[in-house]
Structures are given as C-alpha cells and as structure tokens.
Amino acid sequence: MKVIGLLGGMSWESSIEYYRLVNERVKARLGGFHSAHTVLYSVDFAEIERMQADGAWADAGAELNRAAKALEAAGADFVVLCTNTMHKVADRLEDGLGIPLLHLGDATASAIKAAGIRRVGLLGTGFTMGQPFYRDRLAAHGLDVLVPGEEDRDLVHRVIYDELVLGVVKPESREAYRGVIARLVEAGAEGVIYGCTEIELLVGPEDSPVPTFPTTSLHADAAVDYALGTTSLPVPPT
C-alpha cells in the first residue's frame, strides 16, 4: 500500500472527512483491521486565509510547497491536497517535489465524464467559482462548466467562510444552497460539482435534482485506488 500524504487544515473540519473516508474505503476493500497508510500535515488555516484575502498567492504556494516537501520527507508516496481552492497554486506546490500530486480537478473530471455528463454546474468558494484556475482545468478535460450568478456566488462563499469552516451547519443555509443548485439546473447543468470540501457538510445528493459530484469523496476514492494499485493517477489534461 502506498503512503497517502494528506495536506490539510484548510479547513480542519474537511480534513477530518478526508481522513475518515480514506480509512473507511481501505477497510471496505481489504477488510479486517486494515486502514489507510497515511501521513498528515495540517497547516494553520488562519495564515492561509489571510494570504487568500490579501491576494498573496505566491506566498501561499510557497507555504504549501514546504508542507508537501515535509510530507515527502515523512515517507508519503504522493500528495493529496485536501482543498479545492488551494489548487490555484498546485504548480507552485509541485515545484521541486519528488512525489506526484493527485490533482483534485483531474479526479473530479474523470468521474463526471464516466457518468456521461459534459455540462456541469460548479459550487465552491468565490475564488474557485470566479477565477479561471479550476474551471479551466475542468474545461481542458472537455467539460462545459457553469457557475452561479454573482449574488448566488456571494451567498455560497459567505456560507463556506462564515459557517462551514467554523463547523456551523444551518438548515436555512441548506435551503439557500438548494435554490442555487436549482438555478444552475435551470441554466442547463446536467450535474453539480460540490467543489469545496466543506460543502459536503451541508448538502448531499438528495439536495439536487441532477447527479452531484462531491469532490472530497471523489478525491478520497482516487487516492485509495492509487494507494492500493487499482488504478494509476488520473490523467491530467493535454
């Protein structure tokens, strides 16, 4: 079994889900007392969030690069970055790294295409929805990506940062997200990406009239597949 290097803390609430999921999946595959062989590096999210707010993405990338190299030094065979938004600095994270990054966007795109879907709505932080780094990665896989309108993007982002990363789950926010999802479907989305690791704490497949693609679960699946040698790493776009 390969050693999964979990780079988390953004937020720690979602990183718990990653740890739980990879261990549950390994146990389900191998049975008995088996669990995932992992190394976890958890950053202080307050520092990363400040860099996000200040637009200091180069500094954030350098910090995650240091963390990824610490995972490598600790024996990880590959890195799983436990956040969608910080894949904005994936290239910087990989700089000089001797082990591969299992890119969340590639794992998500693979699952969407396997479901026969090409036009998909994207929920995430304001950075993930509004900036091109994530949408372009998906589009390079041949997907047509829709994002909510500005008002809905603000709502989705606010709930993530003001509630979910603090462990707060409100029924009224779930209902608001359902409305955003419905509007994406009305705009032509054949499926919806839950493109922030915290979103899965609030909504599930039952909250959408079309198939959903929860990136935390998909990323964890891909990590376990690769760790157990079932598959190779998801293919990046050309």
Side-chain angles (χ1 to χ4, degrees), residues 198-227:
E198 284 83 12
I199 285 177
E200 293 166 63
L201 303 175
L202 181 66
V203 288
E206 68 279 3
D207 296 299
S208 171
V210 295
T212 60
F213 298 91
T215 58
T216 301
S217 297
L218 296 174
H219 209 192
D221 284 339
V224 171
D225 284 342
Y226 182 59

Side-chain angles (χ1 to χ4, degrees), residues 137-159:
R137 186 84 177 200
L138 297 174
H141 283 281
L143 300 177
D144 182 12
V145 183
L146 305 177
V147 296
E150 184 176 357
E151 185 175 337
D152 280 348
R153 291 200 305 270
D154 289 345
L155 183 154
V156 171
H157 181 88
R158 178 187 57 76
V159 169

Side-chain angles (χ1 to χ4, degrees), residues 54-66:
D54 293 343
W57 296 103
D59 292 340
E63 178 61 27
L64 295 190
N65 178 255
R66 286 191 290 272

Side-chain angles (χ1 to χ4, degrees), residues 74-95:
D77 291 307
F78 64 103
V79 174
V80 173
L81 179 57
C82 304
T83 162
N84 285 267
T85 296
M86 296 312 295
H87 276 74
K88 177 179 173 68
V89 297
D91 289 347
R92 179 66 184 90
L93 181 153
E94 294 177 286
D95 188 20

Side-chain angles (χ1 to χ4, degrees), residues 96-114:
L97 190 65
I99 56 176
L101 171 70
L102 197 168
H103 198 288
L104 191 154
D106 297 338
T108 300
S110 178
I112 294 169
K113 292 193 293 183

